[in-house]
Amino acid sequence: TVAPFWPTCVICSRTRTVHFSSLKIRKTNVVSVMSPAGCPHVNGFKVDNWKQNLRVIYQCFVWSGSAETRKRKAKSCICHMCGAHLNRLHSCLSCVFFGCFTKKHIHEHAKNKRHNLAIDLLYGGIYCFVCQDYIYDKDMEQIAKEEQRKYFFPVVCMSGVGEKYSTWEPTKRELELLRHNPKRRKITTNCTIGLRGLINLGNTCFMNCIVQALTHTPLLRDFFLSDRHKCEMQSNSCLVCEMSQLFQEFYSGHRSPHIPFRLLHLVWTHARHLAGYEQQDAHEFLIAALDVLHRHCKDDNGKKANNPNNCNCIIDQIFTGGLQSDVTCQVCHGVSTTIDPFWDISLDLPGSSTPFWPLSPGGDGSTLNGESHLSGATTLTDCLRRFTRPEHLGSSAKIKCSGCHSYQESTKQLTMKKLPIVACFHLKRFEHSAKLRRKIPTYVSFPLELDMTPFMASSKESRMNGQYQQSVDVFNNDNKYSLFAVVNHQGTLESGHYTTFIRQHKDQWFKCDDAVITKASIKDVLDSEGYLLFYHKQFLEYE
């Protein structure tokens, strides 16, 4: 058994203490960081009027319950090194200094001044730079609770905004585990926890590769490991409950391959078109799995999440984006716009029966999204350019224009209105038509980091004749993504096999081939054929 695990916060991406208290966890790749008495560096702060000083910080710069304190916080809380308001601002507890946690300005201050403790000015957590983790101290926590109730809860509850925040406190069972297991363990950069093979149950590699990608999706992992799912179905029929159990298995520390027979049974039950031991398409399984998870989740109001346009379930929070379709009349130039939700983007490839417009710059050595065009290879950016280019619908597909009040020829253009947190790109390698069924082996170059700004609806006016005039905005990271999983297909349409590359840490990649997991290089990943590409937004700080 494993004690509860508190991973990175789903909302604020703030690292919480990782509690692995079971004696059965292997000691490989872990280090001891704390004693059962808590952080030993707090005592250096508890001198003179430390309680009053801490109360002042909570009153003025953390909870900010009154209008006056909110104005003071907005005016005063800036990084003393770069002047920024954001980037997880922390305040030193030993002197008057505010610094960015993200840019490590508070770290530099702590190292130079030997001031070990700082407080998160957004959430009130106290960080120890020696332990390199957020810490728990009973006395400090009591002060935080008292000031929070006094200055925060009345404002929030009376206005009806938000919900009551309750800090974590260990249960009797957890305290017993902490007493019997004095050493705390922390995940290190070379730790392999979370890596676990999956037994092939008979042509089920299509399922195994998607499970590996989902279990390494940062926000989805945090949701399930923090026990956020509250089920009202029968547990033996809920796919979300089974996924929750699957995440616990993956991050339990066990290294033997897992047998996902219950997951396979539930998939067969809820997606009957995938039942049986025939070979299936991994992309089709991904969409079916997301659909069932979406239907089994609940939104914030406790209603079934059956509306993808207005749903608060974890699946839609992570994977749903908005695709804008603009249809322009060729006579009056009136534009009809619709926005549809999407979980993935399917991209045509050169070599298919669908005409492919070669959009790569020709031999000029230009680079977009880190993809070089010198080799002449098709890039992911090329596919996205084709996907978002204006398309003339022709005389056989006339639409009734609301301006002309008659059927007219038109052009259609797709752009991204809203980007999802996790973007999945499906390269359409399997072609099924009345004339032929085949696999398209065209190599597509894809980057480790992807900027989706050129394909946003807001960038549409910058397009001229289908070519995007790129502008560089180094300060805008909202549209930038990092690659974290790649699903590949080897073989032919009739006989093939799926594998997955997943990123464990920033520069550490592993190849998952059913029950076998091996170390992979970044070159192995980028040289692979690519079938499904998974990117998450860079602002999540999961690097």
Side-chain angles (χ1 to χ4, degrees):
T1 59
V2 180
F5 172 64
W6 290 264
T8 306
C9 176
V10 173
I11 299 174
C12 69
S13 301
R14 180 164 58 89
T15 307
R16 298 290 297 274
T17 303
V18 180
H19 301 268
F20 287 109
S21 304
S22 171
L23 288 174
K24 293 186 179 180
I25 297 290
R26 297 176 183 267
K27 294 185 178 180
T28 307
N29 296 330
V30 295
V31 293
S32 175
V33 295
M34 290 181 65
S35 68
C39 174
H41 311 101
V42 174
N43 293 331
F45 171 73
K46 292 182 176 181
V47 294
D48 299 329
N49 297 322
W50 72 272
K51 289 186 178 181
Q52 182 59 33
N53 294 338
L54 187 60
R55 288 184 188 277
V56 170
I57 294 176
Y58 275 113
Q59 292 170 8
C60 298
F61 304 115
V62 181
W63 304 136
S64 300
S66 65
E68 180 183 351
T69 55
R70 285 195 296 272
K71 289 180 181 178
R72 185 189 299 121
K73 179 175 180 178
K75 183 178 180 180
S76 305
C77 290
I78 60 172
C79 177
H80 289 180
M81 294 185 69
C82 67
H85 283 274
L86 303 176
N87 298 321
R88 293 175 63 190
L89 206 63
H90 283 57
S91 171
C92 177
L93 288 183
S94 301
C95 67
V96 182
F97 181 88
F98 296 156
C100 297
F101 194 92
T102 304
K103 295 183 178 180
K104 297 189 180 300
H105 293 157
I106 190 69
H107 297 70
E108 295 177 23
H109 171 80
K111 182 179 179 181
N112 295 334
K113 299 294 185 179
R114 296 186 179 181
H115 294 169
N116 298 331
L117 301 179
I119 184 171
D120 183 343
L121 295 182
L122 185 59
Y123 295 96
I126 295 177
Y127 188 88
C128 176
F129 292 95
V130 181
C131 297
Q132 297 182 17
D133 207 345
Y134 288 91
I135 62 172
Y136 174 84
D137 179 81
K138 187 177 181 180
D139 297 331
M140 290 182 168
E141 192 73 13
Q142 184 61 34
I143 293 174
K145 283 183 179 180
E146 292 173 0
E147 298 303 325
Q148 187 181 36
R149 291 192 190 100
K150 187 188 305 181
Y151 291 95
F152 185 64
F153 283 168
V155 176
V156 174
C157 297
M158 290 174 63
S159 62
V161 180
E163 58 181 86
K164 185 174 179 179
Y165 169 78
S166 58
T167 56
W168 169 80
E169 291 185 359
T171 63
K172 291 183 178 180
R173 171 61 177 160
E174 290 164 351
L175 287 173
E176 181 182 348
L177 286 170
L178 293 172
R179 280 194 297 267
H180 285 83
N181 300 274
K183 291 185 178 181
R184 306 292 172 263
R185 291 160 186 165
K186 179 181 178 181
I187 295 178
T188 59
T189 55
N190 61 345
C191 181
T192 57
I193 192 168
L195 295 174
R196 194 168 183 185
L198 291 166
I199 296 295
N200 192 317
L201 301 175
N203 287 331
T204 59
C205 58
F206 70 93
M207 178 182 73
N208 291 348
C209 70
I210 298 301
V211 168
Q212 292 288 0
L214 292 180
T215 51
H216 289 86
T217 300
L219 284 183
L220 198 63
R221 174 199 65 199
D222 293 352
F223 175 83
F224 283 111
L225 291 184
S226 55
D227 200 21
R228 296 285 298 276
H229 173 56
K230 297 179 181 178
C231 185
E232 296 183 7
M233 299 175 59
Q234 294 182 357
S235 59
N236 57 359
S237 63
C238 177
L239 186 63
V240 186
C241 289
E242 179 55 35
M243 284 298 295
S244 179
Q245 181 62 37
L246 193 66
F247 273 87
Q248 297 292 336
E249 291 287 347
F250 262 73
Y251 291 89
S252 66
H254 297 298
R255 294 187 174 186
S256 59
H258 179 65
I259 307 174
F261 65 92
R262 289 192 301 270
L263 177 65
L264 182 63
H265 171 72
L266 285 175
V267 169
W268 286 359
T269 301
H270 297 291
R272 295 190 177 276
H273 62 288
L274 296 175
Y277 289 100
E278 296 84 6
Q279 292 188 34
Q280 302 289 351
D281 179 33
H283 173 248
E284 188 176 1
F285 175 82
L286 170 66
I287 299 304
L290 292 179
D291 178 61
V292 176
L293 289 169
H294 163 73
R295 287 188 279 116
H296 288 188
C297 283
K298 303 284 185 179
D299 66 11
D300 286 346
N301 298 321
K303 298 178 181 179
K304 286 189 175 180
N306 54 10
N307 183 1
N309 293 296
N310 186 21
C311 176
N312 292 317
C313 75
I314 189 63
I315 299 301
D316 282 297
Q317 287 186 52
I318 296 175
F319 293 97
T320 298
L323 187 65
Q324 179 170 316
S325 174
D326 295 318
V327 179
T328 305
C329 175
Q330 294 299 286
V331 176
C332 69
H333 302 290
V335 180
S336 175
T337 299
T338 57
I339 299 174
D340 298 306
F342 68 87
W343 279 334
D344 72 316
I345 300 171
S346 294
L347 302 172
D348 289 315
L349 301 181
S352 67
S353 57
T354 304
F356 192 90
W357 188 13
L359 296 172
S360 297
D364 58 358
S366 62
T367 301
L368 179 61
N369 276 324
E371 300 166 322
S372 175
H373 298 277
L374 289 174
S375 63
T378 302
T379 68
L380 178 62
T381 302
D382 291 336
C383 298
L384 286 167
R385 279 174 166 164
R386 184 190 186 281
F387 181 79
T388 56
R389 84 188 194 281
E391 178 185 4
H392 185 69
L393 297 180
S395 58
S396 60
K398 291 183 178 181
I399 63 166
K400 189 172 183 178
C401 176
S402 58
C404 301
H405 301 288
S406 60
Y407 287 92
Q408 303 290 349
E409 292 189 21
S410 59
T411 59
K412 179 180 180 181
Q413 184 174 10
L414 299 175
T415 51
M416 308 297 162
K417 179 64 176 179
K418 174 183 176 294
L419 290 173
I421 292 177
V422 170
C424 174
F425 300 102
H426 166 226
L427 304 183
K428 296 164 69 173
R429 296 199 173 277
F430 303 123
E431 188 171 31
H432 302 270
S433 64
K435 296 182 180 180
L436 74 164
R437 295 175 67 254
R438 63 185 181 122
K439 178 182 176 183
I440 302 171
T442 305
Y443 172 72
V444 175
S445 170
F446 50 89
L448 288 173
E449 296 183 350
L450 175 67
D451 187 358
M452 289 292 290
T453 303
F455 314 109
M456 297 295 294
S458 57
S459 301
K460 181 182 176 181
E461 60 271 14
S462 300
R463 295 176 185 272
M464 299 175 62
N465 299 321
Q467 296 292 330
Y468 177 71
Q469 307 302 311
Q470 187 183 18
S471 61
V472 179
D473 184 1
V474 296
F475 299 104
N476 182 17
N477 292 320
D478 289 345
N479 303 331
K480 294 182 179 179
Y481 287 80
S482 293
L483 184 72
F484 72 94
V486 179
V487 173
N488 287 287
H489 179 272
Q490 291 87 36
T492 63
L493 185 64
E494 292 76 18
S495 177
H497 180 63
Y498 288 102
T499 59
T500 309
F501 287 108
I502 58 97
R503 190 184 69 179
Q504 177 75 349
H505 299 288
K506 182 176 181 179
D507 295 320
Q508 293 189 29
W509 287 84
F510 292 87
K511 181 179 181 180
C512 303
D513 186 352
D514 287 333
V516 179
I517 297 181
T518 54
K519 191 77 180 287
S521 66
I522 294 178
K523 185 178 185 301
D524 294 333
V525 178
L526 298 182
D527 287 347
S528 64
E529 190 175 79
Y531 179 49
L532 298 174
L533 310 175
F534 293 85
Y535 289 82
H536 69 64
K537 284 196 172 184
Q538 289 186 356
F539 72 78
L540 295 177
E541 299 178 7
Y542 282 104
E543 302 301 327

